């Protein structure tokens, strides 16, 4: 079913991945013109590189003339514990997961302000509240930073008609979580109020709502899509 926001331009980082790909399909089904920013996307980009991110943003604006929706679904998930943490790894995780979202917001918000409409959605994680293992230190810290960034932007951009929200998935079977044993998925599912496997579409449907006109009174919030593991 098409959303009233037909022909709006949506940029999705990480759109070549499982969750990002589901988001791309959801937004396209709702009538958006979707641009994937990824190593294997419509715009090829290393999101850990400031210059490549800035160049990608400029190319999008030059080709499409506008960006109405920004969804940051890309994530670096390098596994490292405190004792063996290398700052170069830490900085790359923060660059991909946080700084690229900031740079793209910086590039696209002026047009959103001018049109008095914009939707920014950051995909985070329910591990912010319930860290499952010490080797996700950099990843979890980055998702916490994204949540804080969203709240700050929501406060400053609301008067310009721009909403900023985050979606925090639970453990979802994707290529990025393939290293997890079946027991981990079973254990996570056992903690859910809705005891069923989580899918990329669960996240995509939530993002689709947040990008729509139906969510115009919702900003600065975290929607936790984890089947009811966390009741917030």
């Amino acid at each position: 079913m098409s959303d009233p926001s037909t022909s709006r331009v949506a940029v999705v980082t990480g759109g070549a991945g499982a969750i990002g790909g589901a988001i791309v399909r959801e937004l396209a089904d709702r009538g958006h013109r979707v641009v994937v920013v990824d190593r294997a996307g419509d715009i090829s980009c290393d999101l850990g590189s400031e210059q490549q991110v800035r160049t990608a943003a400029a190319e999008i604006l030059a080709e499409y003339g506008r960006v109405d929706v920004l969804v940051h679904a890309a994530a670096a998930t390098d596994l490292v514990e405190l004792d063996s943490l290398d700052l170069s790894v830490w900085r790359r995780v923060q660059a991909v997961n946080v700084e690229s979202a900031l740079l793209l917001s910086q590039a696209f918000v002026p047009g959103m302000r001018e049109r008095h409409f914009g939707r920014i959605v950051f995909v985070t994680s329910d591990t912010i509240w319930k860290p499952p293992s010490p080797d996700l230190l950099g990843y979890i810290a980055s998702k916490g930073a994204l949540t804080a960034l969203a709240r700050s932007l929501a406060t400053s951009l609301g008067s310009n008609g721009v909403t900023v929200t985050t979606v925090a998935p639970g453990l979802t079977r994707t290529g990025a979580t393939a290293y997890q044993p079946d027991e981990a998925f079973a254990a996570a599912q056992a903690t859910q109020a809705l005891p069923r496997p989580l899918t990329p579409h669960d996240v995509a449907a939530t993002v689709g709502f947040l990008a729509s006109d139906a969510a115009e009174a919702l900003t600065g919030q975290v929607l936790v899509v984890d089947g009811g593991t966390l009741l917030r």
Side-chain angles (χ1 to χ4, degrees):
M1 181 177 179
S2 295
D3 187 87
S5 56
T6 54
S7 77
R8 287 176 181 158
V9 177
V11 169
V12 180
T13 69
I19 289 178
I23 292 170
V24 168
R25 292 188 292 276
E26 177 72 20
L27 292 177
D29 287 346
R30 288 173 174 263
H32 294 79
R33 290 183 291 163
V34 183
V35 185
V36 176
V37 177
D38 205 325
R39 287 185 181 275
D42 301 315
I43 302 291
S44 179
C45 178
D46 175 2
L47 290 163
S49 164
E50 175 187 354
Q51 186 55 54
Q52 288 195 36
V53 173
R54 291 190 185 278
T55 298
E59 289 178 1
I60 292 167
L61 290 174
E63 181 171 350
Y64 293 88
R66 61 191 290 155
V67 171
D68 304 288
V69 177
L70 168 62
V71 181
H72 182 54
T77 56
D78 302 66
L79 302 177
V80 61
E81 298 187 28
L82 176 64
D83 292 345
S84 57
L85 178 64
D86 184 288
L87 273 183
S88 64
V89 175
W90 170 273
R91 287 167 179 158
R92 174 160 180 80
V93 170
Q94 308 312 311
V96 172
N97 296 4
V98 184
E99 291 172 16
S100 64
L102 176 65
L103 293 170
L104 291 172
S105 297
Q106 188 178 52
F108 300 146
V109 160
M112 293 178 179
R113 281 199 190 106
E114 183 179 335
R115 294 183 297 276
H116 207 73
F117 176 90
R119 298 285 187 267
I120 299 174
V121 183
F122 298 148
V123 178
T124 59
S125 170
D126 73 347
T127 58
I128 296 171
W129 299 277
K130 194 176 181 181
S133 61
D135 59 2
L136 284 173
L137 174 61
Y139 172 82
I140 294 170
S142 72
K143 296 302 187 177
L146 265 183
T147 302
L149 175 61
R151 289 174 174 169
S152 180
L153 291 178
T155 302
S156 63
L157 298 178
S159 62
N160 303 119
V162 180
T163 69
V164 189
T165 51
T166 59
V167 177
L171 183 60
T172 306
R173 197 179 290 275
T174 67
T177 59
Y179 69 94
Q180 294 277 9
D182 290 342
E183 292 77 11
F185 289 93
Q189 188 171 317
T191 67
Q192 298 170 194
L194 298 170
R196 67 165 180 80
L198 302 174
T199 70
H201 177 70
D202 294 325
V203 181
T206 304
V207 172
F209 162 69
L210 291 173
S212 74
D213 289 343
E216 64 181 354
L218 201 161
T219 195
Q221 305 300 314
V222 180
L223 273 64
V224 182
V225 185
D226 67 359
T229 295
L230 299 175
L231 303 177
R232 296 176 52 79

